[in-house]
Amino acid sequence: MLYMEISTWEPEKRDLILEHFKELKMPAGVKVHDQWIDLTGSRYFILYECDDAEAMATFNLPWSDVCYIETVPVMKSTEFISLMSRKS
């Protein structure tokens, strides 16, 4: 399943966030499609694929002390429209 995560942090946590990024390693089971940083410097967006709850937790848990993470399951709009068309 695809997930879009938006991580936000307080400006005073910037240095801690940078240290976390330096140590960032994706666990097995998490496939990153793309990543973006908000140019204001306080948000991080990542699109990744994961079907393993343990891998997802392993990826997110180290960040829980420095930022807020909002996780949203997503799919391409064309796939969603096709799915909804079949159900109608």
Side-chain angles (χ1 to χ4, degrees):
M1 178 163 237
L2 279 175
Y3 296 94
M4 171 64 74
E5 282 191 352
I6 304 167
S7 300
T8 58
W9 54 87
E10 302 300 327
E12 62 271 10
K13 300 256 183 167
R14 184 197 68 202
D15 292 343
L16 289 172
I17 293 292
L18 290 173
E19 289 304 312
H20 273 64
F21 271 114
K22 288 177 187 175
E23 298 174 15
L24 179 62
K25 292 182 182 85
M26 293 300 160
V30 174
K31 179 184 176 190
V32 175
H33 289 271
D34 216 337
Q35 305 171 69
W36 304 269
I37 297 287
D38 179 348
L39 294 177
T40 65
S42 63
R43 287 188 298 179
Y44 166 68
F45 304 87
I46 182 169
L47 178 66
Y48 68 92
E49 194 169 343
C50 184
D51 293 322
D52 179 0
E54 186 174 334
M56 186 183 227
T58 300
F59 173 56
N60 282 315
L61 191 58
W63 294 89
S64 64
D65 64 335
V66 294
C67 65
Y68 306 101
I69 301 171
E70 179 182 4
T71 305
V72 181
V74 297
M75 68 173 29
K76 290 184 177 185
S77 58
T78 53
E79 292 174 13
F80 180 77
I81 291 167
S82 176
L83 177 67
M84 292 296 101
S85 296
R86 289 193 305 262
K87 295 200 179 264
S88 299

